[in-house]
Amino acid sequence: MSHDPDFLQNLRAEVSNWRLWRDRAIVLGYAVMAGLFVVGFTVAAEWAFGLFERLHHAAPWAVLLWTPAVTAGIVWITRRWFPGAAGSGIPQIKAALDPAMPPGERGRFASLRLTVAKIALGVAGFAAGLSIGREGPSVQVAAGVMQHARRWLSPGSTIDARALLIAGGAAGIAAAFNAPLAGVVFAIEELSGRLEARASGVIITAIVLAGLVAVSVFGNLSYFGIIKVPPLDWDLVAPGLLVALLSGAAGGVFARLMIASLTGAPERLNRWRARWPVRFAAAGGLLIAVIGLVSGGVTFGAGSEAVKRMLVGHDELTPLYTLLKFIATWLTAWCGVPGGIFAPSLSIGAGIGDGIGQFAGPALGPALIAMGMAGFLAAVTQAPLTAFIIVMEMVDGHAMVLSLMASAMLASLVSRMISRPLYEALADHMVGAVAQKSKSA
């Protein structure tokens, strides 16, 4: 026989349990700290890329020396002292959350030491002009901060390391994109597979506080502003379908290339990369610099400014420039530098939508660009819910919910026919490498 809750008894239990309130205060403090780290990373990354842009404008050919040299230096430092910081950061957190990962090995992928290294090396990547984003790394940055709270919690606390890692990852996405709803969906779709009742409070708290820190610094603004979307009718169906299919195919190919490159597929270039990783990085940096010069600088950095210009109709990228951004992002990741692919993926998807929009008419351009962003990101990550919500919150595109959802779902379906899920494949590779090392030890 069930009984209704006794309000006074429950209130007394809550108030009298000082350990519970102490643990909550610790989690709140670390959530704020996670937000501050992400904000600091954002500010430093923008400052560093500003330095690179000034160098590029003052002496364009200097980047042919600067970018390879800095890329080689980043890879040398990463491989020597911080191997867990290489790449996006999302696969690392997925690996740390994997049940097969021994608890003592989680520090390889999430720690305060790695958080600081990820920020410093990521900022250096922006200073080199590499085609990287800061959103994926923000997941590892915030998760590294949040997991540190575990050592201060009470021995019997119900807040475990898994909940803190998920909360940190979700807070990182929310603060980086100013997209709190995307943080919740990301926690469910990409990190945990489900939202446990006992962990949900920690996750929501981390998202809210980290998001508030970001909003207090940057303002409550949409990442890409507010797009002007005309009344959506049947004129959008054919070009929108084409954008979703092209984004899905391109994203699937990109994910497959990334998996083959980063898991060390037995091919000649990857054998060379394994033998001479710093030289490989220098060669990759030189190619990225050449691509940047050929494209007039469009392929350098995350590509967010190019997307903003496209959305307001002030910039049109040719399909060649979109292809060059695709190649530059792949080469950057292949070099092994710490850096994400979220923002470059949005740039590539925007270029696909912009290309179709040039034929469909300027009125449909912003809608097709947003659909391309959602489609390509969904295809690369195979996380369609996260992708369409991120784009919806970034462009304040609530009027396009159904269109963005359809594009993300269809593109993800096409991608699944071409490639395995990118982050899952990379995380499995990391878990396997740790297991192999443990056996040989």
Side-chain angles (χ1 to χ4, degrees), residues 150-410:
R150 189 69 188 89
R151 66 183 59 198
W152 304 108
L153 299 179
S154 304
S157 175
T158 58
I159 305 172
D160 58 12
R162 178 181 174 82
L164 291 170
L165 282 172
I166 295 172
I173 285 290
F177 283 117
N178 191 18
L181 183 57
V184 176
V185 176
F186 176 78
I188 299 171
E189 188 175 37
E190 196 64 74
L191 295 182
S192 68
R194 65 187 188 280
L195 202 60
E196 299 175 358
R198 66 177 182 177
S200 61
V202 178
I203 293 169
I204 300 298
T205 297
I207 290 172
V208 169
L209 290 178
L212 283 174
V213 171
V215 167
S216 67
V217 175
F218 302 118
N220 191 19
L221 303 173
S222 298
Y223 194 93
F224 289 131
I226 301 174
I227 64 172
K228 297 179 181 179
V229 181
L232 303 180
D233 53 26
W234 291 103
D235 291 340
L236 185 65
V237 173
L241 183 63
L242 183 57
V243 167
L245 292 174
L246 285 176
S247 298
V253 170
F254 183 83
R256 188 161 180 164
L257 277 173
M258 289 278 288
I259 292 170
S261 303
L262 299 179
T263 58
E267 296 185 12
R268 182 179 300 175
L269 285 175
N270 264 328
R271 286 198 296 269
W272 187 48
R273 176 179 181 259
R275 187 173 182 181
W276 296 297
V278 178
R279 296 183 195 177
F280 186 91
L286 179 60
L287 286 174
I288 293 162
V290 170
I291 290 171
L293 290 177
V294 169
S295 68
V298 174
T299 60
F300 288 131
S304 301
E305 291 303 316
V307 175
K308 291 177 182 178
R309 290 194 297 270
M310 277 188 279
L311 285 169
V312 296
H314 291 164
D315 199 17
E316 292 182 351
L317 297 183
T318 66
L320 175 60
Y321 284 176
T322 303
L323 176 61
L324 291 176
K325 182 64 176 176
F326 180 106
I327 295 171
T329 304
W330 167 49
L331 286 174
T332 299
W334 200 6
C335 287
V337 300
I341 60 170
F342 264 53
S345 292
L346 293 172
S347 178
I348 296 166
I352 294 172
D354 186 54
I356 303 300
Q358 292 177 32
F359 296 98
L364 294 178
L368 293 174
I369 290 169
M371 291 177 69
M373 292 162 65
F376 190 83
L377 183 59
V380 171
T381 62
Q382 292 186 18
L385 292 177
T386 301
F388 102 78
I389 289 174
I390 281 176
V391 174
M392 182 188 72
E393 292 192 277
M394 290 174 73
V395 301
D396 197 12
H398 295 84
M400 289 189 61
V401 169
L402 294 179
S403 302
L404 293 175
M405 187 185 300
S407 180
M409 293 295 182
L410 180 56

